[in-house]
Structures are given as structure tokens and as C-alpha cells.
Amino acid sequence: MLSKKTQYAFHALTYLAENHSKGPILISEISQERQISLKFLENILLELKKSGVLGSKKGKGGGYYLIKSADEIPLAKVIRVLDGPIALLPCVSLNYYEKCENCQEEICGLNRVMADVRDNTLKVLENKTLKDILRNR
Amino acid sequence: MLSKKTQYAFHALTYLAENHSKGPILISEISQERQISLKFLENILLELKKSGVLGSKKGKGGGYYLIKSADEIPLAKVIRVLDGPIALLPCVSLNYYEKCENCQEEICGLNRVMADVRDNTLKVLENKTLKDILRNR
DNA sequence: TGTATTCCCTACCTATTTTGTAGACTAATA
DNA sequence: TATTAGTCTACAAAATAGGTAGGGAATACA
């Protein structure tokens, strides 16, 4: 399941996309409009900024804004930033690979199937973007 | 990611499948052969029994055994028993549906995409069975 | 009938992760 | 230089994961 963090991230990002024309948006505005704890949201937006999804501006007239257009941000990107691996096993993760304990990959039949699951999941999450989850359509 | 519980479950189940001809298998034997904490494994096998995947027999000559053949146990079944929902959001779960907080389903664009992810994930997990992850092939 | 065997059940414990909070600090702007 | 608004560090409560302890109940067999 997606963590609250990731769910909040999507709510915040869609808000930013829908109000893109207004320029930088305050954290506090997003917090109020989308009912997300202010301080928690701060962390989330900061992580999204550090990973290149958002830009920010300090001081009066500042706020957060999308760096790319909504259809250039795959859902997989957001999930990886906030939740980490998308695969069901560390040993088949593309971006967060780790060796499984207690399981020799050559004879463990689980990894082949889980790589299959991963590919089918990513087929959706890599191709669907922020634009696909916007409200006003 | 799959929990240790579910991963252990798969290791135990494949062991049971591979030694099916020997009749009921002791928890302690599985624990040793697959390197899983004995008491933790007890819980896991018990859950699998209660959900109809395994049968058991008490007393001398007892142990656990598969009720159905390996190709009749979809991986999705095992995951649901031990990890719960497979979907990424409660509001698109087939077996564990719950309303999302802070999100009106009619206008939240996330659920449609996540239902799509769910379907693609299940396409694999419902059709692949224990048999597909056995070691001796 | 009694005893060893083996799963069943309840309760508990510890570490980690998730979720959220507090407050000081830095940068930009007017 | 005062105000605004993001940045950073640290902390803390709550939930979950992972694992442990010990007795109870059913079965087999002598």
C-alpha cells in the first residue's frame, strides 16, 4: 500500500498542477486546501524538490511550483521518491536493488515471478503521469 | 514490498510441495531446512491453515501438509492471507476495501489509475501458482 | 489409561517505521 | 532592516513488523 506520505504528495502535486498559472504556491495554502498537516507537508515538498520534481522560491511571493509539465512526471517517480522501491522483493528492484537474505537467487523461483509483477506494475506507473490524475477534466 | 512473513510463507509452502510424498511435515523440520525462526513459523503456518491453504495433524506422525496441489494455489491467495491487500490504495482493494480518508472517490483521479495497477498486478499473481516457484524443475 | 508428541492459542516483547511536531536558521524581497 | 517563506535538525507518539514464551488440547500408541 502507498504510505500517507505518498498519497499526500499526489494531492499536493495535483494542486500545484491545477494552479500552475498562479506562480509559486505557499505550503500553507496547499496544506489548507488539501487538508494535510502543515509541518508534515513541508518535509514532503522538500523531498520532492531535492529529487528534482519541484522548484521553490523563498521570501515574499515565494512558494513551490512544478519544474516540468504534469505529463512529464510519471507516477512511478513520485512513489520512488517517497516510498522507495516499487517491486515486491528487494532482489528484483530496479532502483533499490538489494540481495535477499536466506535466498539464493539462482534457485529461488520467487524472483522470476516477482520481476514479472514488477514489469506489469511499471507498465502503468511509468506511463501514467500527474496529468492522468488531475481533477479538472 | 512483501513482508518477511509472506516471504517465509512461500519458502515453507515450496518445501511442503517438494516433500508432499512424505506425508505431514513437522514445523521444526521446515524451520531447520528453510532457516526460519520456529515460533514465528508456527504463527505463519497456523494462519495458512485457518485460511484453507494447509491441513494439519496433531500427535505423533503429525505435521502440516498441502490441501490442494501446488498449481491450485495462486500466489495472490498467500499474499492476501499474510500481508492483506494487494492494491496500492484501500479504496481500490477487491478483498479489503476501505474508504480513503480525505479523498472523495468521484473526483480523486488516483483511484482509477491505481485500479489499473491492481488489475495488472493481479493478472500475474492470480495466474501464477505455487508450482511456478518450486525449486526442482 | 497414561504418556509422549505435535499442533493450537494467548499473551507478550523489542526494534523499526510511519506519522506528525517544534523551533531555530537562512535566503529573498520590499 | 523587517517581513516573508522555505530549510534544516531534532524529537516524539503511534503503529507495525518481527520474534519469543509458555501452557493447552488433540492424537497416537504402548
Side-chain angles (χ1 to χ4, degrees), chain A residues 83-111:
Chain A
D83 266 358
I86 287 171
L88 293 179
L89 289 179
C91 69
V92 297
S93 171
L94 296 175
N95 289 256
Y96 297 86
Y97 173 85
E98 272 180 66
K99 207 166 170 344
C100 282
E101 333 160 11
N102 307 332
C103 141
Q104 303 111 300
E105 286 182 32
E106 308 74 38
I107 60 168
C108 168
L110 208 46
N111 50 13

PDB file of all heavy atoms in Angstrom, chain A residues 83-111:
ATOM      1  N   ASP A  83       8.274   6.578  -1.200  1.00  0.00           N
ATOM      2  CA  ASP A  83       8.068   5.244  -0.632  1.00  0.00           C
ATOM      3  C   ASP A  83       9.218   4.297  -0.905  1.00  0.00           C
ATOM      4  O   ASP A  83       9.271   3.211  -0.337  1.00  0.00           O
ATOM      5  CB  ASP A  83       6.790   4.609  -1.205  1.00  0.00           C
ATOM      6  CG  ASP A  83       5.597   4.857  -0.305  1.00  0.00           C
ATOM      7  OD1 ASP A  83       5.779   5.470   0.756  1.00  0.00           O
ATOM      8  OD2 ASP A  83       4.483   4.412  -0.653  1.00  0.00           O
ATOM      9  N   GLY A  84      10.108   4.664  -1.805  1.00  0.00           N
ATOM     10  CA  GLY A  84      11.187   3.745  -2.154  1.00  0.00           C
ATOM     11  C   GLY A  84      10.768   2.743  -3.216  1.00  0.00           C
ATOM     12  O   GLY A  84      10.024   3.098  -4.115  1.00  0.00           O
ATOM     13  N   PRO A  85      11.261   1.501  -3.104  1.00  0.00           N
ATOM     14  CA  PRO A  85      11.075   0.512  -4.162  1.00  0.00           C
ATOM     15  C   PRO A  85       9.621   0.206  -4.498  1.00  0.00           C
ATOM     16  O   PRO A  85       8.764   0.198  -3.624  1.00  0.00           O
ATOM     17  CB  PRO A  85      11.753  -0.737  -3.607  1.00  0.00           C
ATOM     18  CG  PRO A  85      11.946  -0.484  -2.159  1.00  0.00           C
ATOM     19  CD  PRO A  85      12.032   0.984  -1.990  1.00  0.00           C
ATOM     20  N   ILE A  86       9.371  -0.037  -5.766  1.00  0.00           N
ATOM     21  CA  ILE A  86       8.041  -0.410  -6.228  1.00  0.00           C
ATOM     22  C   ILE A  86       7.905  -1.925  -6.298  1.00  0.00           C
ATOM     23  O   ILE A  86       6.840  -2.468  -6.060  1.00  0.00           O
ATOM     24  CB  ILE A  86       7.785   0.235  -7.604  1.00  0.00           C
ATOM     25  CG1 ILE A  86       7.556   1.737  -7.424  1.00  0.00           C
ATOM     26  CG2 ILE A  86       6.585  -0.418  -8.303  1.00  0.00           C
ATOM     27  CD1 ILE A  86       7.499   2.522  -8.713  1.00  0.00           C
ATOM     28  N   ALA A  87       9.001  -2.610  -6.568  1.00  0.00           N
ATOM     29  CA  ALA A  87       8.994  -4.068  -6.641  1.00  0.00           C
ATOM     30  C   ALA A  87       8.606  -4.688  -5.305  1.00  0.00           C
ATOM     31  O   ALA A  87       8.724  -4.056  -4.260  1.00  0.00           O
ATOM     32  CB  ALA A  87      10.365  -4.576  -7.068  1.00  0.00           C
ATOM     33  N   LEU A  88       8.157  -5.938  -5.346  1.00  0.00           N
ATOM     34  CA  LEU A  88       7.710  -6.627  -4.132  1.00  0.00           C
ATOM     35  C   LEU A  88       8.847  -7.321  -3.397  1.00  0.00           C
ATOM     36  O   LEU A  88       8.682  -7.763  -2.263  1.00  0.00           O
ATOM     37  CB  LEU A  88       6.598  -7.623  -4.469  1.00  0.00           C
ATOM     38  CG  LEU A  88       5.275  -6.999  -4.939  1.00  0.00           C
ATOM     39  CD1 LEU A  88       4.248  -8.067  -5.270  1.00  0.00           C
ATOM     40  CD2 LEU A  88       4.721  -6.070  -3.866  1.00  0.00           C
ATOM     41  N   LEU A  89      10.001  -7.444  -4.052  1.00  0.00           N
ATOM     42  CA  LEU A  89      11.174  -8.028  -3.401  1.00  0.00           C
ATOM     43  C   LEU A  89      12.387  -7.143  -3.687  1.00  0.00           C
ATOM     44  O   LEU A  89      12.537  -6.653  -4.813  1.00  0.00           O
ATOM     45  CB  LEU A  89      11.460  -9.424  -3.941  1.00  0.00           C
ATOM     46  CG  LEU A  89      10.509 -10.560  -3.575  1.00  0.00           C
ATOM     47  CD1 LEU A  89      10.962 -11.848  -4.234  1.00  0.00           C
ATOM     48  CD2 LEU A  89      10.439 -10.735  -2.059  1.00  0.00           C
ATOM     49  N   PRO A  90      13.259  -6.943  -2.707  1.00  0.00           N
ATOM     50  CA  PRO A  90      14.459  -6.127  -2.911  1.00  0.00           C
ATOM     51  C   PRO A  90      15.319  -6.643  -4.061  1.00  0.00           C
ATOM     52  O   PRO A  90      15.897  -5.851  -4.801  1.00  0.00           O
ATOM     53  CB  PRO A  90      15.216  -6.241  -1.581  1.00  0.00           C
ATOM     54  CG  PRO A  90      14.535  -7.292  -0.790  1.00  0.00           C
ATOM     55  CD  PRO A  90      13.161  -7.437  -1.314  1.00  0.00           C
ATOM     56  N   CYS A  91      15.342  -7.967  -4.247  1.00  0.00           N
ATOM     57  CA  CYS A  91      16.246  -8.540  -5.239  1.00  0.00           C
ATOM     58  C   CYS A  91      15.738  -8.401  -6.673  1.00  0.00           C
ATOM     59  O   CYS A  91      16.415  -8.805  -7.612  1.00  0.00           O
ATOM     60  CB  CYS A  91      16.529 -10.009  -4.924  1.00  0.00           C
ATOM     61  SG  CYS A  91      15.101 -11.087  -5.149  1.00  0.00           S
ATOM     62  N   VAL A  92      14.551  -7.834  -6.860  1.00  0.00           N
ATOM     63  CA  VAL A  92      14.110  -7.558  -8.227  1.00  0.00           C
ATOM     64  C   VAL A  92      13.817  -6.078  -8.427  1.00  0.00           C
ATOM     65  O   VAL A  92      13.199  -5.682  -9.412  1.00  0.00           O
ATOM     66  CB  VAL A  92      12.858  -8.384  -8.633  1.00  0.00           C
ATOM     67  CG1 VAL A  92      13.162  -9.865  -8.625  1.00  0.00           C
ATOM     68  CG2 VAL A  92      11.668  -8.066  -7.751  1.00  0.00           C
ATOM     69  N   SER A  93      14.261  -5.254  -7.491  1.00  0.00           N
ATOM     70  CA  SER A  93      14.045  -3.814  -7.622  1.00  0.00           C
ATOM     71  C   SER A  93      15.042  -3.208  -8.609  1.00  0.00           C
ATOM     72  O   SER A  93      16.228  -3.509  -8.565  1.00  0.00           O
ATOM     73  CB  SER A  93      14.218  -3.156  -6.251  1.00  0.00           C
ATOM     74  OG  SER A  93      14.215  -1.748  -6.402  1.00  0.00           O
ATOM     75  N   LEU A  94      14.551  -2.378  -9.499  1.00  0.00           N
ATOM     76  CA  LEU A  94      15.417  -1.753 -10.489  1.00  0.00           C
ATOM     77  C   LEU A  94      16.203  -0.601  -9.886  1.00  0.00           C
ATOM     78  O   LEU A  94      17.364  -0.384 -10.190  1.00  0.00           O
ATOM     79  CB  LEU A  94      14.585  -1.239 -11.667  1.00  0.00           C
ATOM     80  CG  LEU A  94      13.842  -2.297 -12.501  1.00  0.00           C
ATOM     81  CD1 LEU A  94      12.960  -1.639 -13.555  1.00  0.00           C
ATOM     82  CD2 LEU A  94      14.839  -3.237 -13.172  1.00  0.00           C
ATOM     83  N   ASN A  95      15.556   0.165  -9.008  1.00  0.00           N
ATOM     84  CA  ASN A  95      16.181   1.359  -8.458  1.00  0.00           C
ATOM     85  C   ASN A  95      16.741   1.185  -7.050  1.00  0.00           C
ATOM     86  O   ASN A  95      17.500   2.008  -6.574  1.00  0.00           O
ATOM     87  CB  ASN A  95      15.173   2.517  -8.447  1.00  0.00           C
ATOM     88  CG  ASN A  95      14.867   3.025  -9.838  1.00  0.00           C
ATOM     89  OD1 ASN A  95      15.339   4.067 -10.236  1.00  0.00           O
ATOM     90  ND2 ASN A  95      14.094   2.273 -10.607  1.00  0.00           N
ATOM     91  N   TYR A  96      16.322   0.150  -6.371  1.00  0.00           N
ATOM     92  CA  TYR A  96      16.765  -0.048  -4.982  1.00  0.00           C
ATOM     93  C   TYR A  96      17.207  -1.488  -4.753  1.00  0.00           C
ATOM     94  O   TYR A  96      16.899  -2.080  -3.723  1.00  0.00           O
ATOM     95  CB  TYR A  96      15.634   0.298  -4.012  1.00  0.00           C
ATOM     96  CG  TYR A  96      15.186   1.737  -4.032  1.00  0.00           C
ATOM     97  CD1 TYR A  96      14.225   2.180  -4.956  1.00  0.00           C
ATOM     98  CD2 TYR A  96      15.700   2.668  -3.126  1.00  0.00           C
ATOM     99  CE1 TYR A  96      13.809   3.513  -4.972  1.00  0.00           C
ATOM    100  CE2 TYR A  96      15.282   3.981  -3.139  1.00  0.00           C
ATOM    101  CZ  TYR A  96      14.332   4.401  -4.061  1.00  0.00           C
ATOM    102  OH  TYR A  96      13.916   5.704  -4.062  1.00  0.00           O
ATOM    103  N   TYR A  97      17.919  -2.047  -5.702  1.00  0.00           N
ATOM    104  CA  TYR A  97      18.304  -3.451  -5.595  1.00  0.00           C
ATOM    105  C   TYR A  97      19.066  -3.770  -4.317  1.00  0.00           C
ATOM    106  O   TYR A  97      19.960  -3.045  -3.915  1.00  0.00           O
ATOM    107  CB  TYR A  97      19.181  -3.881  -6.776  1.00  0.00           C
ATOM    108  CG  TYR A  97      19.736  -5.280  -6.591  1.00  0.00           C
ATOM    109  CD1 TYR A  97      18.981  -6.386  -6.959  1.00  0.00           C
ATOM    110  CD2 TYR A  97      20.988  -5.485  -6.007  1.00  0.00           C
ATOM    111  CE1 TYR A  97      19.477  -7.670  -6.759  1.00  0.00           C
ATOM    112  CE2 TYR A  97      21.489  -6.771  -5.800  1.00  0.00           C
ATOM    113  CZ  TYR A  97      20.727  -7.857  -6.179  1.00  0.00           C
ATOM    114  OH  TYR A  97      21.198  -9.130  -5.967  1.00  0.00           O
ATOM    115  N   GLU A  98      18.672  -4.862  -3.665  1.00  0.00           N
ATOM    116  CA  GLU A  98      19.424  -5.428  -2.553  1.00  0.00           C
ATOM    117  C   GLU A  98      19.310  -6.942  -2.621  1.00  0.00           C
ATOM    118  O   GLU A  98      18.266  -7.467  -2.999  1.00  0.00           O
ATOM    119  CB  GLU A  98      18.857  -4.971  -1.206  1.00  0.00           C
ATOM    120  CG  GLU A  98      19.423  -3.691  -0.684  1.00  0.00           C
ATOM    121  CD  GLU A  98      18.794  -3.341   0.663  1.00  0.00           C
ATOM    122  OE1 GLU A  98      19.017  -4.078   1.645  1.00  0.00           O
ATOM    123  OE2 GLU A  98      18.060  -2.331   0.723  1.00  0.00           O
ATOM    124  N   LYS A  99      20.349  -7.605  -2.195  1.00  0.00           N
ATOM    125  CA  LYS A  99      20.328  -9.060  -2.154  1.00  0.00           C
ATOM    126  C   LYS A  99      19.346  -9.508  -1.073  1.00  0.00           C
ATOM    127  O   LYS A  99      19.288  -8.907  -0.003  1.00  0.00           O
ATOM    128  CB  LYS A  99      21.729  -9.563  -1.801  1.00  0.00           C
ATOM    129  CG  LYS A  99      22.053 -10.948  -2.309  1.00  0.00           C
ATOM    130  CD  LYS A  99      23.560 -11.154  -2.193  1.00  0.00           C
ATOM    131  CE  LYS A  99      23.981 -12.597  -2.459  1.00  0.00           C
ATOM    132  NZ  LYS A  99      22.959 -13.624  -2.439  1.00  0.00           N
ATOM    133  N   CYS A 100      18.528 -10.525  -1.381  1.00  0.00           N
ATOM    134  CA  CYS A 100      17.647 -11.081  -0.361  1.00  0.00           C
ATOM    135  C   CYS A 100      18.480 -11.926   0.608  1.00  0.00           C
ATOM    136  O   CYS A 100      19.413 -12.612   0.198  1.00  0.00           O
ATOM    137  CB  CYS A 100      16.586 -11.990  -0.972  1.00  0.00           C
ATOM    138  SG  CYS A 100      15.231 -11.115  -1.750  1.00  0.00           S
ATOM    139  N   GLU A 101      18.109 -11.883   1.904  1.00  0.00           N
ATOM    140  CA  GLU A 101      18.748 -12.802   2.836  1.00  0.00           C
ATOM    141  C   GLU A 101      18.066 -14.171   2.685  1.00  0.00           C
ATOM    142  O   GLU A 101      16.934 -14.264   2.243  1.00  0.00           O
ATOM    143  CB  GLU A 101      18.563 -12.340   4.277  1.00  0.00           C
ATOM    144  CG  GLU A 101      18.390 -10.847   4.418  1.00  0.00           C
ATOM    145  CD  GLU A 101      17.740 -10.493   5.750  1.00  0.00           C
ATOM    146  OE1 GLU A 101      17.633 -11.379   6.615  1.00  0.00           O
ATOM    147  OE2 GLU A 101      17.337  -9.327   5.904  1.00  0.00           O
ATOM    148  N   ASN A 102      18.778 -15.202   3.073  1.00  0.00           N
ATOM    149  CA  ASN A 102      18.175 -16.546   3.107  1.00  0.00           C
ATOM    150  C   ASN A 102      17.614 -17.016   1.780  1.00  0.00           C
ATOM    151  O   ASN A 102      16.679 -17.794   1.750  1.00  0.00           O
ATOM    152  CB  ASN A 102      17.021 -16.632   4.100  1.00  0.00           C
ATOM    153  CG  ASN A 102      17.417 -16.163   5.475  1.00  0.00           C
ATOM    154  OD1 ASN A 102      18.582 -16.258   5.834  1.00  0.00           O
ATOM    155  ND2 ASN A 102      16.458 -15.678   6.214  1.00  0.00           N
ATOM    156  N   CYS A 103      18.124 -16.514   0.684  1.00  0.00           N
ATOM    157  CA  CYS A 103      17.523 -16.929  -0.583  1.00  0.00           C
ATOM    158  C   CYS A 103      18.551 -16.831  -1.683  1.00  0.00           C
ATOM    159  O   CYS A 103      18.999 -15.747  -2.045  1.00  0.00           O
ATOM    160  CB  CYS A 103      16.299 -16.062  -0.879  1.00  0.00           C
ATOM    161  SG  CYS A 103      16.059 -15.583  -2.586  1.00  0.00           S
ATOM    162  N   GLN A 104      18.993 -17.973  -2.187  1.00  0.00           N
ATOM    163  CA  GLN A 104      19.923 -17.968  -3.304  1.00  0.00           C
ATOM    164  C   GLN A 104      19.143 -17.683  -4.573  1.00  0.00           C
ATOM    165  O   GLN A 104      18.242 -18.431  -4.942  1.00  0.00           O
ATOM    166  CB  GLN A 104      20.616 -19.324  -3.441  1.00  0.00           C
ATOM    167  CG  GLN A 104      21.352 -19.777  -2.188  1.00  0.00           C
ATOM    168  CD  GLN A 104      20.660 -20.962  -1.565  1.00  0.00           C
ATOM    169  OE1 GLN A 104      19.482 -20.855  -1.184  1.00  0.00           O
ATOM    170  NE2 GLN A 104      21.358 -22.066  -1.479  1.00  0.00           N
ATOM    171  N   GLU A 105      19.492 -16.578  -5.221  1.00  0.00           N
ATOM    172  CA  GLU A 105      18.678 -16.102  -6.338  1.00  0.00           C
ATOM    173  C   GLU A 105      18.573 -17.102  -7.492  1.00  0.00           C
ATOM    174  O   GLU A 105      17.587 -17.125  -8.212  1.00  0.00           O
ATOM    175  CB  GLU A 105      19.250 -14.779  -6.865  1.00  0.00           C
ATOM    176  CG  GLU A 105      18.954 -13.630  -5.917  1.00  0.00           C
ATOM    177  CD  GLU A 105      19.471 -12.287  -6.431  1.00  0.00           C
ATOM    178  OE1 GLU A 105      19.485 -12.103  -7.653  1.00  0.00           O
ATOM    179  OE2 GLU A 105      19.833 -11.446  -5.601  1.00  0.00           O
ATOM    180  N   GLU A 106      19.614 -17.950  -7.633  1.00  0.00           N
ATOM    181  CA  GLU A 106      19.613 -18.881  -8.769  1.00  0.00           C
ATOM    182  C   GLU A 106      18.482 -19.915  -8.654  1.00  0.00           C
ATOM    183  O   GLU A 106      17.849 -20.266  -9.627  1.00  0.00           O
ATOM    184  CB  GLU A 106      20.954 -19.614  -8.865  1.00  0.00           C
ATOM    185  CG  GLU A 106      22.166 -18.698  -8.877  1.00  0.00           C
ATOM    186  CD  GLU A 106      22.451 -18.108  -7.490  1.00  0.00           C
ATOM    187  OE1 GLU A 106      22.285 -18.818  -6.484  1.00  0.00           O
ATOM    188  OE2 GLU A 106      22.809 -16.917  -7.434  1.00  0.00           O
ATOM    189  N   ILE A 107      18.261 -20.385  -7.409  1.00  0.00           N
ATOM    190  CA  ILE A 107      17.272 -21.455  -7.262  1.00  0.00           C
ATOM    191  C   ILE A 107      15.940 -20.978  -6.694  1.00  0.00           C
ATOM    192  O   ILE A 107      14.961 -21.703  -6.672  1.00  0.00           O
ATOM    193  CB  ILE A 107      17.811 -22.588  -6.375  1.00  0.00           C
ATOM    194  CG1 ILE A 107      18.150 -22.073  -4.984  1.00  0.00           C
ATOM    195  CG2 ILE A 107      19.019 -23.252  -7.018  1.00  0.00           C
ATOM    196  CD1 ILE A 107      18.418 -23.199  -3.998  1.00  0.00           C
ATOM    197  N   CYS A 108      15.908 -19.721  -6.207  1.00  0.00           N
ATOM    198  CA  CYS A 108      14.647 -19.201  -5.656  1.00  0.00           C
ATOM    199  C   CYS A 108      13.719 -18.836  -6.797  1.00  0.00           C
ATOM    200  O   CYS A 108      14.006 -17.930  -7.570  1.00  0.00           O
ATOM    201  CB  CYS A 108      14.911 -17.980  -4.786  1.00  0.00           C
ATOM    202  SG  CYS A 108      13.428 -17.072  -4.348  1.00  0.00           S
ATOM    203  N   GLY A 109      12.613 -19.536  -6.903  1.00  0.00           N
ATOM    204  CA  GLY A 109      11.699 -19.323  -8.017  1.00  0.00           C
ATOM    205  C   GLY A 109      10.867 -18.056  -7.890  1.00  0.00           C
ATOM    206  O   GLY A 109      10.219 -17.618  -8.836  1.00  0.00           O
ATOM    207  N   LEU A 110      10.924 -17.460  -6.699  1.00  0.00           N
ATOM    208  CA  LEU A 110      10.058 -16.323  -6.417  1.00  0.00           C
ATOM    209  C   LEU A 110      10.459 -15.096  -7.235  1.00  0.00           C
ATOM    210  O   LEU A 110       9.604 -14.360  -7.739  1.00  0.00           O
ATOM    211  CB  LEU A 110      10.135 -16.005  -4.924  1.00  0.00           C
ATOM    212  CG  LEU A 110       8.931 -15.356  -4.245  1.00  0.00           C
ATOM    213  CD1 LEU A 110       7.642 -16.032  -4.626  1.00  0.00           C
ATOM    214  CD2 LEU A 110       9.131 -15.366  -2.742  1.00  0.00           C
ATOM    215  N   ASN A 111      11.749 -14.891  -7.378  1.00  0.00           N
ATOM    216  CA  ASN A 111      12.210 -13.657  -8.011  1.00  0.00           C
ATOM    217  C   ASN A 111      11.759 -13.517  -9.474  1.00  0.00           C
ATOM    218  O   ASN A 111      11.451 -12.424  -9.921  1.00  0.00           O
ATOM    219  CB  ASN A 111      13.727 -13.506  -7.873  1.00  0.00           C
ATOM    220  CG  ASN A 111      14.472 -14.755  -8.299  1.00  0.00           C
ATOM    221  OD1 ASN A 111      13.878 -15.638  -8.915  1.00  0.00           O
ATOM    222  ND2 ASN A 111      15.742 -14.836  -7.974  1.00  0.00           N
TER     223      ASN A 111
END
